[in-house]
Amino acid sequence: MQMDNQLPPKKVPSLFSFRYGLSFLLHFCNLAIWAQRTCLSLTMVVMVNSTGPSGLTNFSENEPPAKEKNPVYDWSPEIQGIILSSILYGAALTPVPIGYLSGIYSVKKMVGSTLFLSSLFSLFIPLAADLGEATVIVCRVVQGIAQGVVLTAQHAIWVKWAPLLEQGRLTSISLSGCLLGPFIVLLVTGFICQSLGWPMVYYIFGACGCALALIWFIVAYDDPKDHPCMSIREKEYIASSVVQEFSSSGLSLPFKAMLKSRPLWVISLSHFAFFWTNTILIVYIPTFINSVFHVNVEENGLLSALPYLFAWIFGILSGLMADFIQSRNILSLLAIRKLFNTLGLLLPAFFSLCLLYLSSSFHIVIIFLILTNATGSFSLNGMFLNPLDIAPRYYSFLKGVTSLIGMIGGLIASTLTGIIIDQDPESSWFKIFFLMSGMNVVGVIFYLIFAEAEIQDWAEDRRQTRL
């Protein structure tokens, strides 16, 4: 059945509301998670003797290494690819079970405890590196498990906290922290490595994550009706404008119907393509810049950070745009999902090819890198919200399933990219970007043909009512 799009008569101002406060808190939690995940892609440049198969040094010829206290390890490009992708091995274990369990247990406890666990293991990374690459891989796998819980469980919150016509902006604000995290890391990591040594990167971001976990436990609540400080007016506004999800406890999942659902498959395929592209851009852009321009780690960080700043801005703006279009009935919900999903997959594919063929100067390369990264943020209001349209009562579980499929794409992309760079240094980036673009185009085609935005028959519940 189709959900009613009418807002309740009295709307609580969003700027000073608790639901937006929760969204911004999740924004910073996601920032911390992705900062801890991303920092290795830049510190790797100074942690190893070489980040490329041609023996390129990590520093410019006239500049000595940052500090003698920066340990350097002899890891091949293939080993580096495994280490960089190892966090995805752990993250891939969590989405499906956590997607189901987040409908049963406290999301507050799940997010807070695993955010703290990920931060604790971030503090352990420098010691793990001294013990050997195998220890680093194990450490990153555990981090991946913890981060997978945070990134999956948080979606269940919006079933109870996000009014229908604010879903786009609330989820975009919270998820855009995943974009600001890499920006912060890439902006400051080079300076930290040069002045304090690369181990301090992990100590700083690990400590920040621990502090955020403490704040989360103090101020976050699973259900707005349980919040002791929220006004009755805001509680009534939220309760009257969301479709309540029945607890997953004791609820049998319609696995056969899900497996036969074409809308769910095209959402999953889009996630596969998105994570493939996003993983390459996050993990390997510092290596790409280093191999093409041979810049030092500080310049590398600055250049790699710019695309994420614009991606963060585009992510927030896309949520506002989607909600505006929907509230004014300019386009149907399905058209909105298809529009933003197409922009989020097709534009990065286009600009990545421009990066290969139209990059005649250093500044043009940076512009195309920015556009490739930034335009992917449109997908936040396409594939990422679509499971809530087709099956709100199974939203958290479906987010786990689609996230798992996306992580598999990211894992394959990261490992395969490392192998391609190791075996074919001459034309490696052409192969990498062509394959990435092909994945995105296929995802767009199938989404445009088969995507839907109405609640599916297998997801309907006769007991579901609007409060």
Side-chain angles (χ1 to χ4, degrees), residues 276 280 284 412-422 428-429 432:
W276 184 291
I280 291 176
Y284 284 100
I412 295 173
S414 180
T415 305
L416 184 60
T417 298
I419 295 174
I420 292 175
I421 293 175
D422 189 33
S428 59
W429 294 109
I432 291 166

Side-chain angles (χ1 to χ4, degrees), residues 67-101:
K67 297 282 184 183
E68 291 186 358
K69 58 185 175 183
N70 268 331
V72 178
Y73 308 98
D74 187 19
W75 296 337
S76 68
E78 188 171 355
I79 290 296
Q80 292 174 46
I82 295 174
I83 292 175
L84 290 170
S85 61
S86 60
I87 198 166
L88 295 177
Y89 288 97
L93 299 175
T94 59
V96 173
I98 296 303
Y100 179 77
L101 294 175

Side-chain angles (χ1 to χ4, degrees), residues 79 82-84 86-87 89 125 128 132-143:
I79 290 296
I82 295 174
I83 292 175
L84 290 170
S86 60
I87 198 166
Y89 288 97
I125 288 290
E133 62 267 26
T135 311
V136 177
I137 292 173
V138 171
C139 193
R140 294 283 285 180
V141 168
V142 174
Q143 269 194 302

